[in-house]
Amino acid sequence: MINLRYLEVFHAIMRSGSITAAARSLHISQPAVSEMLKQAESRMKIQLFERTGGRLTPTPEAKALFPDVASVFGRLDAIDRQVQDLAGGRLGNLSLAAAFPIANGYLTKAVATFLATRPSVQVALQSLTSPQVAERVAYGEAELGLAYNFESLSKAVEAEVLVDSAIACVLPESHPLAKYDEIDLKDLAPYPIITYLPQAVLRGYVDRALADAGVAPVVAVQVSLSLTGIMMSYYGAGIALVEPFLLTSLTFPGLVARPLRPYISLKTLLIRPAGASRSLVANDFVEELKKTINESQELLVRSYGSSFAGE
């Protein structure tokens, strides 16, 4: 049987035209190349080159063999490039699931930035509720999930805190409360507010904080999405009590964000399947995501004040 090393020597000689050049390309000695060529001809029982005047001339048999050998090494080169792309996180598939405000905000920026240098990576992104995100990850339908912290997280997943943020007020800059750097929950009492529907995970955060402050709010609108609440505030329906990160991704002229006091802590989780191996693509993406989140937090602080730096 002919082995791959003999074919490699034959391929190098055919491409370079001499034993000396082939030895240089293979990083071995000239005598070693000559010896392997002799062994290859002996194994195959055909003469591959005629030696005339110190030069090698391919025989008809060598010319007939070369296209198939070149095809083999072309495939090996392709495999080598694929390995390098996989090792560098430039090739593969990435399946993501994220809660609606996250999917419509900094996550989309992180994905776009990530793909800019990895055109061969394919991303699938599902926008869901936080419990649905954890469910998709648990069932293996998403490799990474981003969701707000909620009770009864499945043991089939593992989670780490990715962002520690807060519910805030989003309101027109002409609103009487917009002049304050921070807004006390008690100051909301006389004004119509926009909050989440009762079944939304973030509604529980808002209701508990208002109850603890002794505030019976005037609920004007209930929404399922932070974006819808922000748009409602933009058109004057009331003060939106929402997670404010979307304001770093979308432009709403005339709207401002103000932290609430007491601070309504809101944790965003990065969710993975418990005990599962982690792809290089996913690991690289998480690094890009964390960088994007840091940039968004800094923009929020620059745009709306240092109180958004957290507790």
Side-chain angles (χ1 to χ4, degrees):
M1 293 288 293
I2 189 70
N3 65 40
L4 191 60
R5 187 58 169 167
Y6 293 156
L7 292 181
E8 185 179 29
V9 167
F10 169 65
H11 183 252
I13 295 172
M14 289 291 289
R15 291 188 62 188
S16 63
S18 73
I19 287 178
T20 300
R24 190 180 305 116
S25 68
L26 295 172
H27 305 290
I28 59 177
S29 68
Q30 182 177 334
V33 172
S34 296
E35 180 61 27
M36 279 189 278
L37 176 58
K38 290 179 182 178
Q39 292 178 13
E41 290 178 322
S42 176
R43 285 283 188 91
M44 290 188 281
K45 296 182 172 54
I46 58 174
Q47 184 178 359
L48 296 173
F49 297 95
E50 294 179 350
R51 298 156 180 83
T52 55
R55 298 178 62 84
L56 293 181
T57 302
T59 63
E61 290 77 12
K63 292 177 181 178
L65 183 63
F66 182 67
D68 286 335
V69 173
S71 176
V72 169
F73 283 93
R75 290 298 302 149
L76 287 175
D77 287 342
I79 292 170
D80 183 60
R81 289 192 297 272
Q82 184 177 29
V83 168
Q84 292 180 27
D85 284 345
L86 287 168
R90 296 185 296 273
L91 185 68
N93 298 306
L94 182 62
S95 55
L96 306 172
F100 293 108
I102 301 168
N104 292 324
Y106 56 76
L107 180 58
T108 54
K109 180 181 179 183
V111 169
T113 304
F114 185 73
L115 292 180
T117 56
R118 298 168 178 83
S120 296
V121 172
Q122 293 186 340
V123 175
L125 172 58
Q126 302 177 65
S127 301
L128 305 162
T129 65
S130 289
Q132 287 172 333
V133 168
E135 185 180 80
R136 293 294 194 278
V137 176
Y139 291 154
E141 296 174 19
E143 187 174 3
L144 297 175
L146 285 85
Y148 297 116
N149 191 28
F150 65 96
E151 297 179 358
S152 304
L153 197 64
S154 168
K155 292 182 180 179
V157 301
E158 55 190 39
E160 65 173 285
V161 176
L162 189 63
V163 187
D164 194 345
S165 58
I167 299 291
C169 288
V170 175
L171 66 169
E173 60 185 3
S174 59
H175 194 282
L177 295 182
K179 64 184 178 182
Y180 300 110
D181 293 332
E182 299 175 357
I183 296 175
D184 192 286
L185 282 168
K186 295 184 186 310
D187 294 332
L188 296 175
Y191 299 103
I193 68 166
I194 302 156
T195 186
Y196 297 100
L197 288 165
Q199 60 267 34
V201 168
L202 298 187
R203 176 64 180 267
Y205 287 81
V206 174
D207 284 356
R208 283 190 294 271
L210 290 170
D212 290 344
V215 177
V218 180
V219 177
V221 183
Q222 299 177 78
V223 298
S224 59
L225 303 179
S226 297
L227 178 59
T228 308
I230 291 172
M231 290 297 295
M232 284 286 183
S233 182
Y234 178 75
Y235 287 113
I239 300 171
L241 304 184
V242 295
E243 201 280 339
F245 263 118
L246 275 175
L247 294 177
T248 66
S249 304
L250 303 171
T251 301
F252 296 92
L255 279 187
V256 296
R258 296 290 183 262
L260 284 163
R261 287 296 180 264
Y263 188 83
I264 307 177
S265 179
L266 177 62
K267 289 179 171 54
T268 301
L269 306 179
L270 175 63
I271 303 173
R272 302 178 191 255
S277 60
R278 301 177 179 182
S279 71
L280 293 172
V281 170
N283 287 340
D284 286 350
F285 176 72
V286 169
E287 293 303 312
E288 183 65 47
L289 177 62
K290 290 179 178 178
K291 179 181 175 182
T292 301
I293 289 170
N294 288 335
E295 292 171 351
S296 295
Q297 288 178 313
E298 291 171 1
L299 179 59
L300 198 62
V301 170
R302 288 199 305 271
S303 301
Y304 302 110
S306 60
S307 295
F308 279 105
E311 291 286 76

